[in-house]
Amino acid sequence: MRRVIPVRGEVAWFERWHVYATKSLFVILGNPGAKVGDDCQHPFIAISRESGVARESTDTLQGILGKLSQLGAGKAPKPLACAAILGCLTTHKQSFLLVVTEAQVAADVDDQRILEISRCEALPFCVPGCGVPAAPSADAAAALAGVRQLLGRGFYFSQDFDITRRLQARLQADPCPPEELMEGACDRFAWNRPLVEPLLMQEGVTGRWFVPIVQGFVQLKDFMMSGSSVAPLTLLLIARRSRRRAGTRYNARGLDDDGEVGNWVETEQLVRLRRTNGFPSAPDGWISLAQLRGSAPIFWEQASAMAAVQVTRGSHLGQIAFEKHRELLQQEYGEVLFVNLLSNSAAKVETEGALKQALLVQLQQSKSAKWKHLDFHAKVTSGDTEFDQELERLSRQLSEYMHSFGYLDSTSEPPRKWQTGVIRTNCFDCLDRTNLMQQQLVWMWLSSFLTAQGAELQHLLRGGSPSRATAGGAAAGAGMFGDLLGNFGDGQAASSRAPLLSLIREMWADLGDALSLQNTGAASTLGGALRQGGHTAFAVLEKGWRSVERYCATFEDGARQAALNLLLGEHRLPRAPRRADVRRQPCGRLTVAIASWNLAGRSSWSSNQDLRSLIRGAVGPTATQGGSGRPAVDVFIFSFQEMVELTAANVVVQGAGDSARHACFEAKAPDALAAELGEAYVRVSSIGMVGLYVAVFVARRFSGDVAGVAACRRAAGMSGQFGNKGAVGVRFEVAKTSVCAIAVHLESGVGKASERTAQLRDIVTEMTFAHSGGVARLETPAKKHDLVIVAGDCNFRLSLPPGADTSKLGGLLAGSWPDPAADGGAGCVGEGSSSSMAHGAFKKYDEVCGDQIGVASIREVLRDADLMEGPVFFPATYRMAIGARTYDAERVPAWCDRIFHSKVGVTRKRYCALGGVLSSDHRPVAALLETHLLALPGFMPPARSSGAPPPPTATLPPQAPLAPPTPTQADSVSSQLADQLDLLSFTTEPSAVASPQSAATPSPASSPSAPSAGYGAGFPVPAQANVPGPSLPAPQPRAANTSSPVASPSPGGSVASGDGALPGLPLPL
């Protein structure tokens, strides 16, 4: 059993600090063995419990206690003996000093000790504004309990050496004295770095008061030969988990933007060789082999064990992060071999198969990456003596790299050998198969080393009766049935196996259990196979039970992840000095184009003409950037609905959408974007749910500046049970500008306004994106982004009075669509293009913008989410006849397809429908937006490639400048629209109907020469007919400036003004 030594009472050999707590100060004193009357000067640090300000000084013990007596009403407080000071933690506006009060001896060798934390205490600072210490609030107490439980197992520290660095790194660096362990620690593995920063950043405070702590595993065992009193070999196994991208199994997988991966573990197998009477010529000293494991280095997620794997980043952007990861490994370890143990099984095609394929593409794109794929499950299947042979055959495929990379041999001075490379292994979770493989590589290395030493050490590799093994620390976990059954079921194999191999496997099985507990909440599923020496009946039984335990443990993932986020988050003391916040600042403009289309279950995007018309319609033929070509679009967003038919089978089976259709679209879109916009684009991310789909593409020049990508689904069908209705979204950051793109499909049908309102409210308020943000994992609500875009089939209808005659409305609206030949086939109509003007039916009866119906609830949802919509200057987009520019006579036309966006800081350049894209019963809608490009100081926006080809014009009809309708067209259209109220009303006032003569004479505000609100410079302004009924606010002239914001009414009546801010509110920056 490990020695559990409470740091109280008499001074223990590792007791290092005494903490005195008065009402106003924490005083930490070193050398707790000092006695009163000793004239030696002792260092101490005093920390204000009210402000957090810390100062170091020295004094005699008598002087220190005298000062404490003055602060404590004539009596010095009783000290709290501590083994380590971890730092300061802040939660729920309360701060605490974390100290270690109980520890266990995990390893003690060569006068260097490693301790495992058993118990922590949290000493409260004063509550801000109160001036006296107070008990933690209920929320703070709950958060502290989670952190203390987390720290109570699997966290290690040493007062003697830097535990965060492997032996080779320590030998290659200058010696680190104990008082500098914190400053010299490896940042990746020092888990309390965020806790000590609030104190270390203060002037004059050194790191002598703190030691780094590491999460992982430590175990020491002596290998004793029969008849020998001195162990010829001592085995020390150390595993260090990275604090970067730390998280539980389903919360932290794959890569992040900094090149870090989930479940990154450095494992170091050290062997201490000793010259003894039985081994007089044996080398004396340490040898070691370091290996790495980590999640598959691509961007991927999996919601649960039953869910399919989702690759969340395009291969080009993924390659940038992968190269960062590879460079991190090379800088620390030298050459790297990526070993992939994922399965080729057809039963796992949606999980490991999809991950393996994406990983191989990533590795093949890297010209310098070395990699090897080994299907572990297919090669290691036996439950008898074949198990050892199968593992050996599999590991021999890596022997060339093992020999090339070498190992550390420090049995002489200087060391005989250095390790020059590392094998990085991953399976699916990097827990079970990876652990077996790494153990086998250690055995292959150690066997080779001992064989090379001659006959004196070779017999350690022979089988026979087990030798005695003593442990410096108890096993972290034992086989579930190990104590009861031992090696029953494989006795012959166990008796013939080398005792040294059995000892190593026992240690690695304990390691596997410990790492699995930290990552999943349950022990390893293959620990029994490692201990039993194969897939015996009892190993299979234990595997099944462990799988059940893992599933049950997922229900606690949220609490464990919250504790990790709190421990690794940013902590600030009330009024202590702190680093100045680096604020974002505008450095240019970010142009975002959006196209939304209900495909009615058709692969309409597969038509190159339709896809390019969709892109052309969103961007328009405006002349910017050098006076020719279309605008430099930085981001293009596609929002599709009904990408597959909404049949019952698809709703059940295609929960994540049709991956084949998604992949096909994602292959076509970059070529179409490049052809239309004149520069290369790469996919950021995409996500589907039944028929819903959203994809984000960014100009390649920005590919190195994209970060914080995340995607999520929000089902709304059948009360949230199915994804036939709902939303899918992608959030990302360009430089430091956060963008959230949401594709929606709301409840259909007349009279379902309340259901649509509830669904929209749920989507804009409850959608949350989990993404990496530095060390901690962040969760950002959809509405907390700089630019929010909600686009899709909202199914908004006309709320008509009973008995309204709508038989002629479709015919009238059909005449409002322009000739698609005018703009190369897109047939754009609306704001920023040719216009059919605002229809009386829309203004009066639309579910959102109508002025005579009770639609305030939808307006409130949009207002509460700070969303707005541009003026709708296009005809109803539903329900159209497929392949024709006419409406379905069986349905009342409706403006179902809409785009909403953030109010503040946004310039809208275009909002239109595409009447020339005819392959669905919906017409697409599109928008072109601008917002501030925010970045940290020093960021320079990438320039558009000067060598980018101009958009081709030969393969498609020429794009002539749009022109307002001719007087004859205006006469006809306005005359027809003037009759709409007759169709929809029971009584018509004669004065409300405009004559053709008055309609043919446009007002000054609507003449082509007068700029109109809602149009940027260079956009043609349509002639406005004198349409009866409620009207939009009169257009206000403004200077022609393409960077000026659009002033247009929102659904709630607000108008974007100034630099995108609302009237009476300050600018966003």
Side-chain angles (χ1 to χ4, degrees), residues 642-691:
E642 295 190 37
M643 206 171 189
V644 297
E645 292 186 37
L646 300 186
T647 63
N650 282 338
V651 170
V652 175
V653 176
Q654 302 282 7
D658 189 328
S659 58
R661 291 196 175 193
H662 298 171
C664 186
F665 170 76
E666 290 159 9
K668 283 181 171 290
D671 293 337
L673 287 166
E676 282 297 317
L677 302 180
E679 63 176 317
Y681 286 78
V682 295
R683 182 171 66 91
V684 175
S685 185
S686 60
I687 186 172
M689 180 178 69
V690 189

Side-chain angles (χ1 to χ4, degrees), residues 585-813:
Q585 61 186 24
C587 63
R589 304 290 288 177
L590 184 72
T591 304
V592 181
I594 312 99
S596 176
W597 194 10
N598 186 313
L599 299 168
R602 296 166 171 257
S603 300
S604 303
W605 44 263
S606 61
S607 164
N608 190 50
Q609 172 112 7
D610 280 357
L611 183 54
R612 291 179 62 172
S613 293
L614 200 64
I615 298 168
R616 190 181 315 115
V619 178
T622 18
T624 61
Q625 192 161 77
S628 62
R630 296 196 176 90
V633 175
D634 305 314
V635 178
F636 203 105
I637 300 167
F638 293 94
S639 168
F640 292 148
Q641 307 84 51
E642 295 190 37
M643 206 171 189
V644 297
E645 292 186 37
L646 300 186
T647 63
N650 282 338
V651 170
V652 175
V653 176
Q654 302 282 7
D658 189 328
S659 58
R661 291 196 175 193
H662 298 171
C664 186
F665 170 76
E666 290 159 9
K668 283 181 171 290
D671 293 337
L673 287 166
E676 282 297 317
L677 302 180
E679 63 176 317
Y681 286 78
V682 295
R683 182 171 66 91
V684 175
S685 185
S686 60
I687 186 172
M689 180 178 69
V690 189
L692 264 172
Y693 175 78
V694 63
V696 176
F697 293 82
V698 67
R700 185 186 289 267
R701 55 194 156 85
F702 272 110
S703 57
D705 305 310
V706 176
V709 180
C712 78
R713 302 178 177 92
R714 190 78 179 178
M718 296 291 291
S719 301
Q721 299 302 310
F722 295 101
N724 59 313
K725 295 293 186 288
V728 291
V730 172
R731 69 90 57 194
F732 58 100
E733 296 170 13
V734 180
K736 290 298 180 180
T737 305
S738 59
V739 182
C740 176
I742 301 175
V744 299
H745 196 185
L746 305 183
E747 191 68 37
S748 62
V750 178
K752 297 292 186 69
S754 59
E755 288 87 341
R756 287 187 280 272
T757 300
Q759 290 173 351
L760 186 61
R761 177 181 290 110
D762 177 73
I763 290 167
V764 298
T765 60
E766 299 300 327
M767 279 192 81
T768 301
F769 297 84
H771 59 99
S772 59
V775 174
R777 187 167 174 82
L778 304 179
E779 292 190 355
T780 304
K783 60 184 180 180
K784 298 294 185 181
H785 289 78
D786 299 313
L787 175 61
V788 180
I789 299 167
V790 179
D793 182 2
C794 298
N795 269 312
F796 297 146
R797 305 303 169 98
L798 295 179
S799 299
L800 302 173
D805 182 6
T806 61
S807 59
K808 297 181 181 180
L809 180 58
L812 296 175
L813 292 174

